[in-house]
Structure formats: C-alpha cells, structure tokens
C-alpha cells in the first residue's frame, strides 16, 4: 500500500527519508533489496581468545544496520583487553565481556538489536542455540574448544546455517566460510565493461531492419547524420559488406578482425572540420571486443552441469530458472539477451530506438524462459522479477561451494598443500607470489588451545608459551613433511611470537574482510570467497584457498 | 634466550599482546635495524599526523591509538553529515553538524586511556612546512586526489638530504565500494603519489554538445541541469550541493529533460550521486584499508617486521567484489614525475592546430596531469596566467591562438603551475600527433 501512495505523490514532496540518507552510501552498492536482507539477519558471534576480530566484524555489520546480533563470550574483561579491543573501556574491567561488548556496539546504531550470553537466564552455549530464533550466520573465533565447535557444527548442519571460522594472531589471520550446500549467486555485480553483449554476429530481424533503414544510403547521408550513426549500426552495415566479399562469412580470426577494423576506419569521413568521426572511432575500437560468437561462460556451465545431491535444494527458484535457461540455451545456442546498450555517439532519438529494440528482445527471451519455468514442477509460484534478473545476469551467474564432500577435509588439505608447495618451487620463474598456506598450517595447532591467549605479561608464562617446535609437530600431523618446509618453519616462529594474542590492526583488517563476506552471503550479491582467505600482515597480501 | 624478552612500555598489563610483537624479533625482523628494548619508548614519544577524520580517518585514529602511538594530531575541515553515520563509527546522530576532527579526537581520547589526540578543524593548506616538520609519520584517509597531491608535494619538498628527520613517510589509503588501496610513500625514495597519478584517472567528462543537444543517458540530463540550466536560470545565488532544495531543483529539471527525450532512469538519488560525485562507501572496506595503513605505520615505527616501501613492494590493491583479491607490488618511481623526478613528463597526442585553450582544457582531463586551473610558460615566455588579474587580461588573447601560432614546436618543454599545488612546477614535453 505504501508503495502505491508514494509513487502517486509528486516527486518534490518526497526527498529521501532519514533512513535513506543515513544509508545512502551503501544503498548505492546493494540497493533496497540488499538492505532489507541485512535488516532481517540475525548473527551469532561465539567469541574467545583475545576476542577482537569477531567484534570488529560485528562493528562493520552493526553500522550498515544488520537486524540483530548476539555475542556468546565466557570471558571477563581484563587489563589486556583494553589495549587491543576498542569496544571496551576502563569501566568494563572485571565485568562480563559479552555484555560490555554488546552495550558498546549497540551505541553505533540505534536500529540494531543485540543480546549477550551467558546471562542470568541462559548460560551454556547449548541452551543459547536451542532457545534463540534461528541464526542467519554463526561466526566463531579461534581458539575454540572442540566441544563448542562440534555444537556449532551440528547446529549449522541442522539449520543449514553458514558457519564462519576466524583466527587472528599477531601479523597473521585467516577465515573460513563453511556453507551448508551449493551457494548460487545471480546478482554478482560484474564490471560494467564486461557486460556488453550486442549479438552483432547473430542479429535478429528487428535489429537488422532498423540497421538497414539507417544505413541503406550510408554514403549519401549528410555529415551530421553520418557522424551520428550509432557504432552498432556501422558495424552491422560493414559486416554485411564484408560478408559479400568473403563467401558470406563473418570475420573470424584475429587477422580477419584487424582487417575488418581497417575497413571500418577507412570508411570514416575525414574531409570535415574535425578531420574524422568519433562514432567510427568507437566502432573501430569495439571490433575485437564485440565481434564474438556467444559462448557459455564457465560460471554458468558449472551451474548447468551441477549434480544435485539434495532434492529440496533442487526445487528452489534458482535451480528451476537455471533449468529453464539451460533449455533455452540448448534450443537457441545462446543465452537470453541481457538487453543493455552501452552509451555511444548517436542522436537521442536513434539511440533510444536502438535501446528499445534490445530491451524488447530481452523481454521476449525472458518471457520464453518464464513460460518454460511455469511449465516445470514448482515453477508456478516463481516471481517473474527473479526470472528477469537471472536473464539479465545469466552470463555472470556463479556457483560457490559447488563440489560437496566426496573428499575429506583432511585429505583435501594435504592435496592443496602438495599443489601449493610444488607451485612455490617455480614461483620465482613464473613471477607468482608465494603461497600463504604455511600461515594457515602454522595457525592450526593453536586453533583449540583455549588457554593460549592468556594475557600474562610474562612472555614465557606456561599458559601462553607455545614454541615453534610444538607448532611444527602439530603441522606434521596435518600434512606430513610440511614441518620441514622453510616457509612453514618461519610461519611457525611468527605464530609462536604472538603467543595467541591479536594485533589490533590485523584483527580490524580481518574483521573488515569477514564483514564484506557476511554482507555478500546475507544479501546474495557480489561473489563470496570459496572458502578460505589467509592474510599475511608482514607482506600485506592475502590468498584465497579452497580447503 | 634474550631474543624472547619482552620490553614493555608504560602499563605492561594493558599492552601485553602488542609488546610481544613489537618488542620481540620474529623470523622476518631485520636485526640490523631492530632494537626491541627501545621500541615502546620511541613510539610513545612519536608524533603522528592523521589527515582526514572521515570513513578511513575514524578507523585510523582507533587503530593508531591501539597500536601504541600516544601523540596524534588530526586535520579535517568537514562537519558531520547524516550520511556519514553508516561507517564513521565515532559519530552519532547528535553529532551531526559538529567538526569531524574534534568529535573523533575526543571520542578516541576518552575510550583509549593515555592517548592524546589534537584536532585541527581546517584545511591542510592552512599549515606550512614548519607544522608538518614536527611529525614522524603521516597517515592519510582522504577522498580527494587534490589534497593527496598537495600533501605529497609538500612532504617531498621538505626532504633535505642532510637532515635525516626531514624524511616523513606518507601512508595513504583510499576506498570505493568493496575496493581500495593502501600505499607507502617514502619521499624521494619510493614512487610518490604524483608518480602514481595515472592509476587514479578522473571519470571522463561528457562532451558539452552531448549535454546540449543529444542526451542519451539519465546522467546526461542531470549534467545538463547542473551545468547548463542552473547557470541560465540561477534559481538560487550559488549552488549548494548539500541543500535538498537545490538538488530537488536539478532533479526536476533533469526529469523534465529526460521526459522530453524519452530517457528513463532519472531519480533523486542518481541526481545527487552525479552532482556530488558520490562514491559508495561502507564500514567494512574502510576497516580493511585503514588497518592495512596502520599496520604499516606500526612496522615503520618499530621495525618489528618489514614494511611496504622497502625494499620492493609499496602498494597494495584490494578488491572484494568477486571473491577477495589483493595485488601487492612495487610501483616504480618515474624520472619524469613533476614532483619527485628530474625530467619533463611527455604529453603525447597534442595537436599543433589546437588553441592554447584546448591544450589547457586537456590538462584538466589527462590522467597524467589533472590540473584544473593551469598557468603556462614556455622557454621563459608567459603564455597564460590565471592571476593576477592584470596579467590574466594581458595573456588572455593567447588562449584563442593555435599552438603553431604561439611558436610551440614538437618536443617543446612547457612549465605549468596550478594554484592547487602552489609549490610545484609541472614540466611537460609536448608530443605532437
């Protein structure tokens, strides 16, 4: 109802609302749909250790207006917390860390709700999970006890909740996203320049007719008309001329295309005051980019070939539409037309006509797919807007976490380690950066050492001293032989140096990356990592690995 | 083992995690320059300057305060706007309208005991070299290229080979949407911001004739309202881009023009975006980039690990749109950098038939120049001066002469100055097409 009333109100009377003004800079990234997904989300942080990285993540989610969050943290605030955590101050000393953090985070955005555990009524993590409304995402920080971890993993499986593990120590960090199944994204926001799809080598009748109408007398057009022909028309026209002298074939090879480009360039008029024509320059520049046959992009190919293991997942809107798009592709050997025309030199009227020819074709393709969708089981209730969005983005649809559990986590880690270490041996030759897997490996042995983070100022206090040798022994259990790798040894020494404590900068940086990923998962926009991101604060770079 | 010893500064219990790292060497620490026993004390007496108290600046102040710096200054001339609150986490609704530097400084001082933050609610150009000389490090979180170029030129100019203290490392961050970059500039040692200017090319301007007669995009209609209709009708004495009434006027003009040409897509939000050149910004990306900058600040100040700028990599590019990708590399110094180089920078594709005005207009748009109010000399001869008014009037006729008429030849060196960078003379070498 509100929608209708709003659109009838003259535009002058409704500028942006207070909320639209506050969130303006982010609405330009994920629009109202993304915002409403954020506002419906409910996040749990299970916090431990020196406890900063998860809180920095939450800060970056509370500010853009996440619906609600909860912090589970058994620690009480100590002196060391105040040197590393910004959302605690002197008045918090000795109090429950989860409560203090929650209260100070809530100050950031009055629209967000937050709770903390343990509290007077709910104490154990188990009861938190049992008594709360379902969480959208659960994140936990290392070190975490194996018992709590298995509780969270069981919860994630039962509720199909994504789990995010985060570990930050000294200059190092990583985080790992554990999605409950294949995760498709339609609204991937590809770079504007990549999305041009003009179908110049397979024009449809309406486009051909429009182009012929404008160019049939091309050599007799006056300078203004000639200089304002849209480059799409120029290319279509000269492609026909090319075909006439090349057995009816389009320019196919690189050599053909450069020759064709010269043909276009030489057709520009130069006896005018400007000494050339901008639209012909645009046409020449577009030759290599736009004279391509439609092909199936790898992301969509993966979607088409995906073997379902979960019948419930298969009946979702995404997969039904994907099936219909596949049928369309099999029939026409091309994807539905996205329908967007880039800006180009042209008269207003001609450009708008051209634009509407592309839009009409895009609507027609989408309508055909919608019809297929409707004829499929479960396709009756699918929102036409969802079909339209899929058609518009078909070439950029991505599937994350596609291959499921055929190989065990432990085996996969070893396989990846083999691959990374062997590519490191040629890294110097190929000028590629060295693997950051050693950092991940060196952090693993401390992942469950909940006593490690002890904040005793004595560096050698038993509780926080873990030696590089101990770390390497742990690495050897995970990936036999890796403990002898020089870079693993260095990483182990760096991890030992931190003694389980966080550096604020690395926690803040990692919290920023994790928050970006959470936003992508919650809004189903942009492309999340698949599935582990390691950061090296010594070299200031990261690497994404599929572990 | 002595190398395992921690050397705490004041309040050892509070800074235990930081001290373990900054006062003990790690496997990558250079033992020749690292002295763990001196770090904490040295950092406590360092003065750090933060430029910008916005999205990045708020994060930077927090990060520096929690990295063991005790004496921080911050400069920002802006006041708090409601659209800042989605990421500038030191500000609240009740702070709207107050100075950013002041509110941010007070907040961090209150939260982190023992840190002193001095705010300056003004432009960076209000201070001279003596002011900048007092700092050991400068960290920038700015949204303006012009301000970056200014502070860069100032810090490069301040270098005196004989005075070790005259080298001020400049750490610079920038973000747009899910992307950003962090870079370290060691003046006259590494590539500087001016060397890297073409990596931050301005958006190409739409030709005036498109706006005036053949609009095709909603942006063209908005620019028409902004550039042409406003000047013609002057609905208010001066355009205030933050005044909703002014934006509404532009929006309605643009909308009417779009209807006339059947162009869809003009909205209030787009109007505001185009007119104010709004760059999308979120807390998460600011968090990444500001922390990357402050991580370098900590490493530079303590030598506890190698930092960007020496010996190789000096630039980290970050992109979070499609998975996460960083590219950390060495951006090479340019001999023809107008600020830190020795030679004139080539200016290719110059047409000798251009008027001087056309050459000057091209300087504004060329990624390697980006000078909006240029004055030009060649071989000691003044071709055009923006000021003083007398000289401007005398040189104005040259604007309509062609380069050939002015006697400029292929390969000629020209010297360009711009009031935005008063201390710099940009030397270019004309290359005719």
């Amino acid at each position: 109802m509100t929608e209708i009333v709003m659109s009838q109100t003259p535009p002058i009377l409704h500028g942006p609302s207070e909320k639209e003004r506050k969130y303006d800079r982010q609405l330009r990234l994920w629009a109202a749909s993304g915002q409403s997904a954020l506002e419906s989300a409910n996040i749990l942080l299970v916090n431990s250790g020196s406890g900063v990285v998860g809180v920095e993540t939450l800060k970056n989610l509370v500010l853009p207006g996440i619906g609600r969050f909860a912090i589970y943290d058994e620690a009480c605030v100590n002196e060391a917390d105040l040197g590393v955590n910004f959302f605690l101050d002197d008045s918090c000393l000795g109090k429950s860390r989860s409560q203090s953090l929650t209260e100070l985070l809530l100050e950031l955005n009055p629209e967000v709700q937050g709770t903390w555990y343990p509290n007077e009524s709910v104490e154990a993590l188990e009861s938190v999970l049992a008594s709360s409304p379902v969480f959208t995402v659960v994140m936990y920080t290392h070190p975490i006890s194996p018992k709590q971890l298995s509780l969270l993993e069981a919860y994630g499986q039962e509720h199909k909740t994504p789990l995010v593990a985060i570990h930050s120590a000294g200059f190092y960090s990583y985080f790992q996203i554990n999605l409950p199944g294949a995760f498709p994204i339609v609204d991937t926001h590809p770079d504007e320049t990549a999305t041009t799809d003009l179908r110049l080598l397979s024009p449809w009748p309406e486009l051909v007719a429009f182009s012929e109408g404008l160019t049939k007398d091309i050599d007799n057009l006056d300078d203004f008309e000639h200089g304002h022909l849209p480059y799409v028309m120029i290319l279509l026209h000269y492609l026909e001329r090319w075909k006439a002298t090349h057995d009816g074939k389009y320019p196919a090879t690189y050599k053909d295309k450069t020759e064709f480009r010269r043909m276009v360039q030489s057709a520009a008029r130069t006896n005018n005051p400007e000494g050339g024509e901008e639209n012909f320059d645009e046409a020449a520049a577009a030759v290599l980019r736009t004279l391509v046959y439609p092909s199936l992009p790898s992301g969509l190919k993966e979607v088409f070939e995906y073997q379902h293991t979960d019948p419930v997942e298969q009946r979702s809107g995404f997969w039904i539409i994907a099936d219909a798009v596949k049928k369309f592709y099999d029939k026409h050997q091309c994807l539905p037309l996205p329908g967007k025309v880039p800006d180009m030199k042209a008269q207003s009227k001609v450009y708008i006509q051209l634009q509407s020819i592309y839009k009409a074709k895009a609507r027609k393709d989408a309508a055909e797919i919608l019809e297929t969708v409707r004829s499929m089981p479960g396709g009756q209730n699918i929102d036409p807007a969802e079909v339209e969005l899929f058609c518009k983005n078909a070439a950029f649809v991505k599937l994350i976490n596609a291959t499921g559990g055929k190989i065990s986590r432990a085996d996969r880690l070893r396989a990846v380690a083999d691959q990374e270490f062997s590519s490191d041996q040629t890294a110097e030759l190929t000028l590629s950066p060295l693997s950051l897997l050693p950092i991940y490996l060196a952090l693993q042995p401390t992942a469950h050492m909940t006593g490690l983070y002890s904040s005793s100022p004595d560096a050698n206090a038993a509780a926080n001293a873990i030696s590089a040798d101990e770390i390497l022994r742990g690495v050897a259990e995970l990936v036999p032989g890796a403990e002898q790798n020089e870079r693993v040894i260095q990483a182990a020494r760096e991890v030992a140096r931190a003694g389980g404590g966080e550096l604020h900068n690395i926690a803040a940086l990692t919290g920023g990356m994790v928050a970006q990923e959470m936003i992508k998962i919650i809004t189903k926009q942009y492309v999340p990592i698949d599935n582990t991101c390691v950061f090296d604060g010594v070299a200031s770079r990261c690497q994404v690995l599929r572990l | 083992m002595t190398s395992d010893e921690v050397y705490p500064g004041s309040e050892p219990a509070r800074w235990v995690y930081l001290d373990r790292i900054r006062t003990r060497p790690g496997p990558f620490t250079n033992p020749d320059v690292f002295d763990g026993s001196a770090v904490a004390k040295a950092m406590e007496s360092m003065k750090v300057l933060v430029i910008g108290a916005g999205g990045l600046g708020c994060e930077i102040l927090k990060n520096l305060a929690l990295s063991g710096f005790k004496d921080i200054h911050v400069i920002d001339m802006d006041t708090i706007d409601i659209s800042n609150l989605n990421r500038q986490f030191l500000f609240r609704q009740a702070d709207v309208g107050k100075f950013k530097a002041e509110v941010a400084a007070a907040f961090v001082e209150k939260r982190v005991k023992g840190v002193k933050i001095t705010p300056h609610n003004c432009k960076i150009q209000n201070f001279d070299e003596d002011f900048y000389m007092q700092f050991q490090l400068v960290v920038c979180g700015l949204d303006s290229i012009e301000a970056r170029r200014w502070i860069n030129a100032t810090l490069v100019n301040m270098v005196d080979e004989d005075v070790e203290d005259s080298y001020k490392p400049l750490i610079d961050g920038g973000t747009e949407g899910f992307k950003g970059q962090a870079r370290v500039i060691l003046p006259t040692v590494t590539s500087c911001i001016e060397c890297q200017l073409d990596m931050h090319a301005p958006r190409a301007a739409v030709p005036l004739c498109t706006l005036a007669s053949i609009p095709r995009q909603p942006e063209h209609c908005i620019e028409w309202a902004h550039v042409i209709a406003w000047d013609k009708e002057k609905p208010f004495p001066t355009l205030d881009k933050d005044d909703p009434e002014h934006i509404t006027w532009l929006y309605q003009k643009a909308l009417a023009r779009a209807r006339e040409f059947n162009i869809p897509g003009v909205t209030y939000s787009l109007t505001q975006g185009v007119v104010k050149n709004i760059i999308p910004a979120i807390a998460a990306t600011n968090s990444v980039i500001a922390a990357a900058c402050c991580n370098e600040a900590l490493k530079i100040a303590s030598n506890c690990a190698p930092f960007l700028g020496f010996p190789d990599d000096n630039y980290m590019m970050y992109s979070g749109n499609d998975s996460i990708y960083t590219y950390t590399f060495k951006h090479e110094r340019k001999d023809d950098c107008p600020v830190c180089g020795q030679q004139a920078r080539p200016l290719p594709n110059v047409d000798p038939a251009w008027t001087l005005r056309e050459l000057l207009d091209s300087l504004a748009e060329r990624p390697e120049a980006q000078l909006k109010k240029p004055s030009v000399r060649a071989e000691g001869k003044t071709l055009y001066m923006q000021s003083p008014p007398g000289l401007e009037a005398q040189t104005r006729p040259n604007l309509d002469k062609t380069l050939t008429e002015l006697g400029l030849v292929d390969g000629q060196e020209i010297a360009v100055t711009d009031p935005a960078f008063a201390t710099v003379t940009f030397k270019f070498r004309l290359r005719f097409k």
Side-chain angles (χ1 to χ4, degrees), chain A residues 16-35:
Chain A
S17 68
E18 180 94 345
K19 194 166 140 187
E20 282 166 330
R21 284 165 62 204
K22 179 165 120 182
Y23 292 143
D24 179 82
R25 301 302 185 268
Q26 68 201 44
L27 290 171
R28 291 171 194 275
L29 287 174
W30 53 67
S33 60
Q35 188 62 29

Side-chain angles (χ1 to χ4, degrees), chain B residues 189-206:
Chain B
V189 177
T190 66
S191 133
C192 78
I193 285 187
E194 201 72 23
C195 296
Q196 301 169 12
L197 194 60
D198 54 1
M199 298 190 64
H200 303 269
R203 221 165 288 171
V206 183

Side-chain angles (χ1 to χ4, degrees), chain A residues 91-310:
Chain A
S91 72
C92 306
L93 279 172
K95 293 187 185 158
S96 140
R97 195 162 73 176
S98 64
Q99 178 178 357
S100 299
L101 289 171
T102 304
E103 285 169 355
L104 289 188
L105 281 170
L106 283 173
E107 285 181 0
L108 302 180
N109 192 341
E111 280 157 88
V112 175
Q113 292 178 31
T115 40
W116 68 85
Y117 305 100
N119 59 30
E120 313 80 54
S121 39
V122 186
E123 280 208 7
L125 180 58
E126 216 162 352
S127 3
V128 172
L129 296 173
S131 66
S132 306
V134 174
F135 293 107
T136 321
V137 183
V138 172
M139 53 179 179
Y140 59 90
T141 60
H142 285 294
I144 185 171
S145 73
K147 184 171 161 263
Q148 290 195 334
L149 179 56
S150 61
L151 276 176
L152 295 178
E153 282 174 340
Y155 180 88
Q157 280 199 334
E158 188 190 340
H159 297 277
K160 300 222 159 291
T161 306
L163 296 186
V164 182
I166 322 172
H167 196 164
S168 166
F171 283 116
Y172 292 159
S173 74
Y174 75 82
F175 66 97
Q176 190 163 57
I177 300 177
N178 208 330
L179 293 165
F183 189 83
I185 316 120
V186 176
D187 201 358
T188 50
H189 293 260
D191 270 352
E192 218 37 47
T193 47
T195 57
T196 305
D197 181 0
L198 295 171
R199 303 288 163 90
L200 297 179
L201 302 183
S202 48
W204 59 99
E206 290 83 357
L207 180 62
V208 172
F210 181 67
S211 178
E212 282 175 352
L214 286 174
T215 56
K216 62 176 183 292
D217 213 5
I218 190 166
D219 296 327
N220 295 318
L221 293 176
D222 66 36
D223 278 353
F224 182 82
E225 296 274 342
H226 194 265
H228 284 80
L229 279 173
Y231 80 71
V232 172
M233 272 59 247
I234 296 173
L235 290 176
L236 285 171
H237 176 78
Y238 287 99
L239 280 171
E240 285 309 308
R241 284 204 187 179
W242 171 276
K243 275 163 67 182
T245 56
H246 291 81
D247 301 330
K249 290 196 180 102
Y250 283 120
T253 61
Y254 179 77
K255 191 167 156 272
D256 281 355
K257 286 179 191 174
T258 48
E259 201 179 312
F260 175 71
R261 187 169 58 190
R262 274 197 297 278
M263 176 177 173
V264 172
Q265 276 163 334
S266 65
R269 293 182 188 171
T270 51
N271 58 345
N272 51 10
E274 295 81 33
E277 289 178 307
E278 227 179 293
N279 53 340
F280 277 77
D281 293 344
E282 288 178 354
V287 166
L288 293 179
R289 201 162 22 94
T290 56
L291 298 194
V292 284
Y293 284 101
S295 64
L296 193 56
S298 60
L300 194 58
K301 189 158 182 268
E302 203 174 354
V303 169
F304 284 174
E305 288 168 0
Y306 181 68
Q307 301 288 323
H308 287 277
T309 49
D310 179 351

